[in-house]
Amino acid sequence: MTRVAAVDCGTNSIRLLVADADPGTGELVELDRRMTIVRLGQGVDRTGRLAPEALERTFAACREYAAVVKEHGAERLRFVATSASRDAENRDAFVRGVLDILGVEPEVISGDQEAELSFTGATRELTGRDDLTKPYLVVDIGGGSTEFVVGDDRVRAARSVDVGCVRMTERHLVVDGTVTDPPTAEQVAAMRADIEAALDLAQRAVPLREARTLVGLAGSVTTVSAIAQELPAYDSRAIHHSRVSRERVREITEWLLASTHAERAAVPSMHPGRVDVIAAGALVLLSIMERIGAEEVVVSEHDILDGIAWSVA
């Protein structure tokens, strides 16, 4: 076993996994997994820069994670940064801060690299299951981008597009600095058109309709699963490898788009940091399912974070 630590810093959240990995057996024994909503991508779509307050929230989480990594005695650490830091003009300030706190330089990876890590993390444990038909389409709906990967035992095609729950919310649902509560029909239509255009781009590079099993990753998808199951609290064990039908995703998306902030916040499984962006994330998921004709989505709690851990094991 090799004790490894992986950090995934996205547009909306930063996450840590410390695990013992055995590449020979394919076993990944989780020791600590945690997530913090930092909204690093706050305003990036509009300004092209990381906001000072967003950087400080992220650095505060990094200081917490540094203590956890030290406590567990991880031998190797890899820090991967995705959409928001990839797009920002002042990402050097982000890189310097992370290096000072954690002792490693964050790797601002490409969308294609992000897609491959997500695929590995989501599908490695599906090997040998006869109830899921290959090829898989792994869809990682993040805050700033969505990754599409088709593959069986390895990646066949991948594409990242700039459609995520934070980016879509800020682009279409924010007026004078406030999220419309609930959004208008015109706002929803404009957001849907943006998503459909992104799906057109993804489809040029990735044979989306060849997939036989849709695997959905990240907070928007797992939260939809939690709502579908009417969980009294967020429960990773109940969510991992749950299945949600397209009709149920549609019902939940329509409710989220018609609900108020208070109504969404009252959902017991809803993380406070997702209240304002979950409707956009759910609409991305629904649009994908309708585009490829998927009857259901298999929800995975294992994603790019697990892929990062395997990459350093």
Side-chain angles (χ1 to χ4, degrees):
M1 289 283 191
T2 303
R3 183 156 295 182
V4 297
V7 178
D8 166 40
C9 186
T11 301
N12 196 43
S13 64
I14 184 170
R15 300 180 301 142
L16 169 71
L17 171 63
V18 181
D20 286 332
D22 186 342
T25 64
E27 184 180 15
L28 193 68
V29 180
E30 179 180 317
L31 302 175
D32 198 307
R33 187 188 294 260
R34 57 185 67 194
M35 182 270 289
T36 310
I37 299 287
V38 293
R39 198 66 66 83
L40 178 62
Q42 171 193 332
V44 167
D45 192 56
R46 177 176 52 83
T47 67
R49 297 180 63 81
L50 298 168
E53 60 270 29
L55 283 169
E56 185 45 48
R57 289 193 298 266
T58 304
F59 295 154
C62 287
R63 286 187 280 270
E64 174 194 332
Y65 291 179
V68 175
V69 171
K70 183 178 180 181
E71 176 188 345
H72 284 290
E75 300 168 47
R76 303 175 188 172
L77 167 64
R78 186 181 184 190
F79 188 117
V80 165
T82 54
S83 181
S85 51
R86 189 167 57 228
D87 299 340
E89 295 173 6
N90 61 333
R91 65 183 185 185
D92 286 349
F94 167 71
V95 171
R96 286 195 303 272
V98 172
L99 183 58
D100 287 345
I101 297 166
L102 283 163
V104 295
E105 187 169 318
E107 299 175 50
V108 183
I109 61 174
S110 69
D112 287 344
Q113 289 173 305
E114 189 176 348
E116 292 205 23
L117 288 170
S118 295
F119 186 83
T120 300
T123 64
R124 186 158 186 149
E125 63 187 347
L126 301 180
T127 302
R129 287 187 54 163
D130 55 11
D131 60 327
L132 299 176
T133 307
K134 298 177 183 178
Y136 306 117
L137 170 60
V138 174
V139 174
D140 187 341
I141 302 173
S145 62
T146 295
E147 282 63 54
F148 297 84
V149 198
V150 165
D152 28 56
D153 297 322
R154 58 173 45 187
V155 172
R156 286 170 39 188
R159 178 67 190 263
S160 177
V161 294
D162 286 338
V163 169
C165 60
V166 174
R167 194 184 297 267
M168 289 297 94
T169 299
E170 291 188 348
R171 186 177 294 175
H172 297 289
L173 305 185
V174 174
V175 178
D176 297 328
T178 303
V179 177
T180 308
D181 194 23
T184 65
E186 291 77 14
Q187 286 176 308
V188 174
M191 182 164 59
R192 183 65 182 253
D194 216 357
I195 294 168
E196 293 295 337
L199 288 175
D200 290 340
L201 283 176
Q203 202 161 349
R204 292 176 192 169
V206 180
L208 302 181
R209 291 194 173 95
E210 289 183 15
R212 293 296 172 262
T213 298
L214 174 64
V215 182
L217 316 182
S220 292
V221 181
T222 59
T223 300
V224 166
S225 173
I227 296 171
Q229 297 181 66
E230 299 181 0
L231 297 178
Y234 193 94
D235 183 347
S236 294
R237 289 173 297 178
I239 292 167
H240 188 48
H241 289 173
S242 60
R243 302 185 185 199
V244 187
S245 71
R246 185 171 70 228
E247 285 311 307
R248 189 75 177 108
V249 172
R250 179 178 290 110
E251 291 171 5
I252 291 167
T253 302
E254 290 175 351
W255 179 79
L256 289 169
L257 288 168
S259 64
T260 64
H261 181 279
E263 289 170 334
R264 295 189 300 277
V267 175
S269 58
M270 182 78 68
H271 190 289
R274 298 204 186 279
V275 174
D276 285 334
V277 299
I278 183 60
L283 184 60
V284 173
L285 174 60
L286 177 62
S287 301
I288 293 167
M289 295 182 78
E290 291 178 343
R291 172 67 68 101
I292 70 173
E295 295 296 330
E296 66 176 12
V297 57
V298 178
V299 181
S300 179
E301 282 275 356
H302 293 179
D303 49 28
I304 188 174
L305 196 56
D306 302 77
I308 296 166
W310 278 118
S311 74
V312 294

